[in-house]
Amino acid sequence: MSTPVTIQVNGQAVAVSPGQMLTTCLERLGYDLRLVALEFNGAILHRQHWRHTRIREGDVLEVVTIVGGGHLP
């Protein structure tokens, strides 16, 4: 088993498996990939690159979840 690496997710330190793809990491953290936007190491990372991007020690993710709903009277 590989030693976990530490990344930052929305300002919190999180231990994850090294070398996993970003999509796998996000899913394991409980995110619905259809409903998030992502900043990766300080830059917006377009969705088409997520499945080709590997997680490494020290990566910084800012994940914004899209929330629907609301009703104005």
Side-chain angles (χ1 to χ4, degrees), residues 35-55:
L35 301 176
V36 298
L38 180 68
E39 182 180 287
F40 183 76
N41 294 330
I44 299 296
L45 185 62
H46 294 281
R47 191 173 301 275
Q48 71 258 24
H49 300 294
W50 295 4
R51 64 185 178 136
H52 303 291
T53 302
R54 289 194 183 275
I55 294 295

Side-chain angles (χ1 to χ4, degrees), residues 1-61:
M1 186 166 149
S2 299
T3 302
V5 296
T6 301
I7 63 172
Q8 293 287 319
V9 180
N10 294 343
Q12 300 293 316
V14 177
V16 299
S17 298
Q20 67 182 298
M21 293 302 184
L22 181 57
T23 51
T24 303
C25 180
L26 289 170
E27 287 172 335
R28 287 184 179 169
L29 292 172
Y31 291 101
D32 182 336
L33 299 182
R34 299 169 299 153
L35 301 176
V36 298
L38 180 68
E39 182 180 287
F40 183 76
N41 294 330
I44 299 296
L45 185 62
H46 294 281
R47 191 173 301 275
Q48 71 258 24
H49 300 294
W50 295 4
R51 64 185 178 136
H52 303 291
T53 302
R54 289 194 183 275
I55 294 295
R56 296 186 178 152
E57 177 75 35
D59 282 341
V60 178
L61 285 64

